Amino acid sequence: SCFRLLCSLLIPALFLSGILCVCLVVLLWGIRLWIQQRKKQLTSAGKDGKRPLLVAFFHPYCNAGGGGERVLWCAIRTLQKKYRNVTCVVYAGDRDVTGEEIVEGAFRRFNIKLIHPVKFVFLEKRYLVEASLYPHFTLLGQSLGSVFLGWEALLKCVPDIYIDSMGYAFTLPLFKYLGGCRVGCYVHYPTISTDMLSVVRNQDTRFNNAAFITNNPLFSKFKLLYYYFFAFMYGLVGSCSDVIMVNSSWTLNHILSLWRAGACTSVVYPPCDVQTFLDIPLEEEKSTTEYSIVSVSQFRPEKDHPLQIRAFAKLLKEKRLGQQPSLKLILIGGCRNQQDEERVNNLKHLCEELGVSNNVTFRINIPFEELKRHLAEATIGLHTMWNEHFGIGVVECMAAGTVILAHNSGGPKLDIVVPYEGHITGFLAENEDNYAETMAYILSLSPEKRLEIRENARRSVHRFSDQHFEETFLLSVEPLFK
């Protein structure tokens, strides 16, 4: 009787599920047809009677001024050079600037001049992807928020080709299945990685894993379960992509294990403006009375600026024992919002606590020429992010002729600060003591030895040039234009 009862409940349940699935498919198909109809209404033919191919880049923070934005503008310039009947569209979330100001900012910060105008589609709901909106379950919150933001973008402009250039993988199925677009993505950093899973599994306290979770086995188990669920969903949406570009070997390994789409995945190193930095004459150091250590990275928590300040304070403490040249640390970076500005204020307080305020300078959102000048004068280029996905700042420091000291992980370890033709190109460190010791060691080298390392580093960075990016980018996106 129990079996009969189960059967009598199961058959209607299956029937109902089937009806719901059919209704869902019909609804989605209806939405897709409506969007296609909308696309015809919104787009018009060009001067030659042909409708231009719309290539849209999803980049809500296109005015931020970081490495990801350099990739965006170089990618657009590359497509404009190669394809004549293409109109590039950028989905932007910056409401306080005009399109002209964004393009002008790209030229000022990155020295990139576009060949044709770009169409900007300004989005109202960028706040939905702000981490501050989701104090808990941030990854899931931001990802769901990106779907709503992507929906707004799709309603405002339906492209032929959609490229997510900022890491919002959850928008890919939306544009592919509802928008009927060919979709590609450029992944700077996997939203979740096997490293993040191991941090939670090992109950390790980091900026993205609070102490109250690491101290509680139950919370840790729950977070691990949540991460596994998110990794599964992330793999599902990512595998929708027709073309996947990743910025480094480190990112490649993670994306291959999560998305399992090796056939359409390739490494496209981000374009670093190496030529502009290589134009800086490489000379033996003139000054022996003052050395500067320069850091170039946005003021975000994962960049770990406090580690730079603490290591520098340790170095100063040890240096004061003897009569040494004076040292200064220059922190150069972009601030995207109020949170970043608060972070800078906290870093200034840390400098005061450690008594190094007089030796540390902050340079925020500076013009390109000033960045060049600081790098030309610096002895050491400093970078401290753990598992930095690539590290454009690291490449720029090497091209400019500083002796680089980066974190012994991620892109710097696997792709950038690697021996070139058997010669040393820079140094890697992992913690405060390591960094302080290595900085002291670099400063103790003779100017001739430092010059040798700087020359090796310069020779090694040609593989990260704009030209190399253009070649590999065009090769990768070719399937989207067929």
Side-chain angles (χ1 to χ4, degrees), residues 245-402:
M245 294 166 277
V246 297
N247 66 343
S248 68
S249 309
W250 181 85
T251 308
L252 176 72
N253 297 336
H254 287 289
I255 290 299
L256 288 178
S257 70
L258 290 162
W259 292 9
R260 303 183 188 283
C264 58
T265 307
S266 55
V267 176
V268 177
Y269 287 132
C272 308
D273 193 7
V274 291
Q275 197 49 56
T276 305
F277 291 104
L278 291 171
D279 289 342
I280 298 168
L282 197 60
E283 298 161 354
E284 261 191 49
E285 298 147 30
K286 296 182 188 79
S287 169
T288 50
T289 55
E290 185 180 70
Y291 290 124
S292 71
I293 297 162
V294 167
S295 150
V296 183
S297 55
Q298 284 183 313
F299 289 101
R300 303 207 302 254
E302 64 272 22
K303 298 295 182 183
D304 207 351
H305 288 91
L307 173 58
Q308 299 181 3
I309 293 164
R310 287 196 301 269
F312 180 69
K314 189 161 257 190
L315 172 72
L316 277 186
K317 203 174 169 185
E318 284 157 15
K319 282 275 170 196
R320 283 198 185 118
L321 300 173
Q323 283 298 95
Q324 298 287 347
S326 72
L327 292 174
K328 60 178 177 182
L329 173 64
I330 303 166
L331 301 176
I332 300 171
C335 276
R336 302 162 300 170
N337 49 36
Q338 201 181 337
Q339 282 175 302
D340 288 357
E341 284 162 21
E342 282 168 19
R343 211 166 279 123
V344 170
N345 287 332
N346 292 338
L347 292 171
K348 287 177 179 173
H349 290 314
L350 179 64
C351 292
E352 283 166 23
E353 280 171 38
L354 297 171
V356 294
S357 291
N358 294 339
N359 300 76
V360 181
T361 309
F362 289 83
R363 301 298 297 131
I364 295 151
N365 299 334
I366 61 170
F368 188 74
E369 285 307 311
E370 192 184 333
L371 168 69
K372 255 174 79 172
R373 196 182 73 245
H374 283 300
L375 284 177
E377 293 166 0
T379 303
I380 297 173
L382 193 59
H383 196 272
T384 46
M385 180 174 166
W386 169 74
N387 270 340
E388 167 73 90
H389 35 303
F390 179 73
I392 287 182
V394 174
V395 173
E396 288 176 346
C397 286
M398 289 165 76
T402 70

Side-chain angles (χ1 to χ4, degrees), residues 45-76:
K47 289 172 189 171
D48 55 359
K50 284 183 186 173
R51 194 180 67 79
L53 198 68
L54 280 186
V55 182
F57 289 84
F58 191 73
H59 209 107
Y61 293 90
C62 64
N63 201 35
E69 287 67 61
R70 185 161 216 287
V71 171
L72 169 72
W73 302 118
C74 273
I76 290 172

Side-chain angles (χ1 to χ4, degrees), residues 28-64:
L28 292 174
W29 188 251
I31 292 170
R32 182 182 164 121
L33 287 175
W34 175 68
I35 285 173
Q36 292 308 306
Q37 203 57 41
R38 201 176 158 79
K39 180 181 181 175
K40 283 175 189 165
Q41 290 165 0
L42 290 172
T43 54
S44 54
K47 289 172 189 171
D48 55 359
K50 284 183 186 173
R51 194 180 67 79
L53 198 68
L54 280 186
V55 182
F57 289 84
F58 191 73
H59 209 107
Y61 293 90
C62 64
N63 201 35

Side-chain angles (χ1 to χ4, degrees), residues 449-461:
K449 183 65 188 164
R450 276 201 294 269
L451 185 63
E452 197 182 303
I453 294 167
R454 290 156 70 206
E455 283 169 344
N456 296 336
R458 274 196 151 187
R459 281 196 292 270
S460 77
V461 297

